[in-house]
Amino acid sequence: MRIPELIERLTHLVGDDGLVLDAEGQAAYVRDWLGKWQGSTAVVARPRNAAQVSAVMQLCHQTRTPVVPQGGNTGMSGGATPDGSGAQVILSLNRMKRIREVDPVNNTLCADAGVLLAEVQEAARAAGRFFPLSLGAEGSCTIGGNLATNAGGTAVLRYGNARDLALGLEVVLPDGRIWNGLRGLRKDNTGYDLTSLFIGSEGTLGIITGAVLKLYPAAAGRATAWGGAATLPALVQLLTRLQAACGERLTAFEMMSASCLELVLAHVSGASSPLAGRHPYYVLFELTDTEPSGLSALMEQAAGAALAEGLLQDCAIAMNEAQARAMWRLREGISQAQVRAGKAVKHDIALPVSRLAAFVEEAGAALAAEFPALPVVNFGHIGDGNLHYNVLLPPDVAAPEYARLTAALNRRVHDLVAQLDGSISAEHGVGQLRRDELRRYKSPVEMDLMWMIKRALDPNHLMNPGKLL
Ligand code: FAD
Ligand code: 2HG
Ligand code: ZN
């Protein structure tokens, strides 16, 4: 179908105000947050509800029009950016913003896919409950995007990732049919787990339009600390100690290397180090509980023991909310600091926690020998075995050199990850960034199974082509 006719029919389905047709308006949709991918589109469609998504998908199915689903466009793997052909329609969920239901007895919340993560958290808070998914982009990413990427963030250690936090989904299939799986059940053994199948599928199997999410009791107290350590093994040992001493109360355990902190201090205004001295590694750790009494004492005891044992060289415990927030600002400023510092070859890897230190040692030696001029920005959710092992390149690096270095660095890092039985994406997903890498590291059987699912659900290959598979 010709583009003008497609646009005319889309106008009937979602209204004039449901389409973005001008280049200026489309600018925020066709380029990703990192500024790494730039695509183009003839039209951004912004339906208001699942029925409108269904109508748009029926039209795209009939006309064989490829569709790129998009939430907050904060993804880090290029999954929400269309290609450069202009032939792919962007289907944005950003007008689907209804909190459909909060059930404090069942401890569940049902939301449209376009509700921002921060808005979900706020709705849970207003009901005296807590929604634990938390990440630096929470003010701009959507719950649909979080589920489509199976996002992780800083509370996975205690509460799990997005998949662990969803009980049911509503999904519009590539042919426009609506699957209503919005069940708030913690037990449901009636066949294949379709909810889990769509979570993490990165818009390649269908459009998530709604979700039932798990809520938790609100924490009444928290204790936050910032420690400096001499080595990564010391931090891994500290993690084990804290888990034994504090159990479930250990909610976050976030590491950053010295060079990573220096980057934040240089590029984030108002940032200052909580400790006077320099340490090779830093950790931000946090305890939370529904029963606040005793939490500060537990933190002081745990930090004191870590210092006495030499697992930490120094430690600052936040004395108030403002100090805790300042510590978190350092952690949450890392992505922005990297963007300001230049270009980065990003690695989002998962390893067994027991192998993190071996990886860092081996990868550090290999990269120092082969790429001595390139600084590594190493940080991440080490409580989950997830490192963001990024390598900084100068801002003016030319495109061919960027591509060459990306390929060479990926090979070193990902080969080592594979040797240690890790994963080349812990939480950001595959998108277009790691699509070719995936083929290299997944077994033929696993790739085959994924393709069988893809073909069964999307035989015309219209859902987010060029991503993941
Ligand atoms: P988008 O970027 O719009 O889309 C991401 C992918 O999901 C695309 O493939 C898209 O096609 C698909 N998609 C989006 N919505 C739907 C839908 N409704 N149905 C089907 N498919 C859909 N990620 C983490 O996991 N942990 C972090 O700690 C973290 N920190 C971040 C910090 C910053 C500062 C930034 C900018 C990003 C961070 N991210 C992190 C990455 C990003 O925020 C997450 O991947 C987030 O889940 C993406 O949500 P989104 O709504 O922006 O999705
Ligand atoms: C984080 O943990 C995010 O802050 C972003 O996952 C990681 O910028 C990155 O590479
Ligand atoms: Zn992360």
Side-chain angles (χ1 to χ4, degrees), residues 102 104 109 118-131 215 218:
V102 181
L109 179 154
E119 293 168 343
V120 172
Q121 294 166 345
E122 184 46 45
R125 201 174 299 128
R129 298 292 183 273
F130 174 60
F131 183 63
L215 300 182

Side-chain angles (χ1 to χ4, degrees), residues 26-89:
Q26 288 178 356
Y29 295 89
V30 293
R31 188 180 163 90
D32 73 304
W33 187 86
L34 293 165
K36 192 173 164 68
W37 293 275
Q38 170 79 51
S40 67
T41 187
V43 53
V44 180
R46 302 166 66 222
R48 279 203 183 279
N49 51 46
Q52 287 192 357
V53 174
S54 165
V56 170
M57 289 310 299
Q58 276 178 47
L59 175 61
C60 291
H61 177 68
Q62 281 161 16
T63 58
R64 299 291 186 261
T65 306
V67 175
V68 179
Q70 192 178 99
N73 199 16
T74 68
M76 292 212 161
S77 308
T81 313
D83 66 13
S85 68
Q88 302 182 338
V89 167

Side-chain angles (χ1 to χ4, degrees), residues 231-295:
T231 65
L232 195 59
L235 283 188
V236 172
Q237 224 182 317
L238 175 62
L239 171 68
T240 308
R241 292 278 200 285
L242 288 174
Q243 283 172 321
C246 310
E248 284 230 305
R249 282 167 291 201
L250 181 63
T251 311
F253 194 82
E254 297 286 315
M255 175 279 284
M256 63 173 93
S257 64
S259 59
C260 183
L261 177 63
E262 275 149 23
L263 201 74
V264 174
L265 297 177
H267 293 282
V268 175
S269 69
S272 69
S273 174
L275 302 176
R278 185 184 193 274
H279 305 271
Y281 288 95
Y282 298 93
V283 62
L284 193 173
F285 55 107
E286 190 161 271
L287 309 179
T288 58
D289 204 341
T290 49
E291 172 48 62
S293 69
L295 207 59

Side-chain angles (χ1 to χ4, degrees), residues 33 68-76 79-80 93 113 134-137 140-142 144-146 148-149 151-154 202-203 206-208 335 381 427-428 464:
W33 187 86
V68 179
Q70 192 178 99
N73 199 16
T74 68
M76 292 212 161
L93 283 297
S134 177
L135 45 110
S140 356
C141 61
T142 61
N146 299 147
T149 56
T154 52
E202 301 186 42
I207 312 249
I208 298 170
S335 295
H381 321 280
E427 58 173 13
H428 294 167
N464 219 357

Side-chain angles (χ1 to χ4, degrees), residues 76 331 335 338 346 379 381 388 390 427-428:
M76 292 212 161
R331 172 62 185 88
S335 295
Q338 287 173 103
K346 284 184 180 281
F379 66 101
H381 321 280
H388 298 303
N390 300 340
E427 58 173 13
H428 294 167

Side-chain angles (χ1 to χ4, degrees), residues 410-444:
N410 280 349
R411 198 56 53 245
R412 286 293 157 276
V413 171
H414 289 162
D415 275 1
L416 189 54
V417 166
Q419 270 170 41
L420 293 169
D421 295 325
S423 165
I424 63 165
S425 179
E427 58 173 13
H428 294 167
V430 175
Q432 44 186 315
L433 179 63
R434 302 184 181 89
R435 189 196 56 191
D436 298 341
E437 290 294 284
L438 190 76
R439 294 181 190 145
R440 190 180 176 95
Y441 295 102
K442 283 263 184 214
S443 72

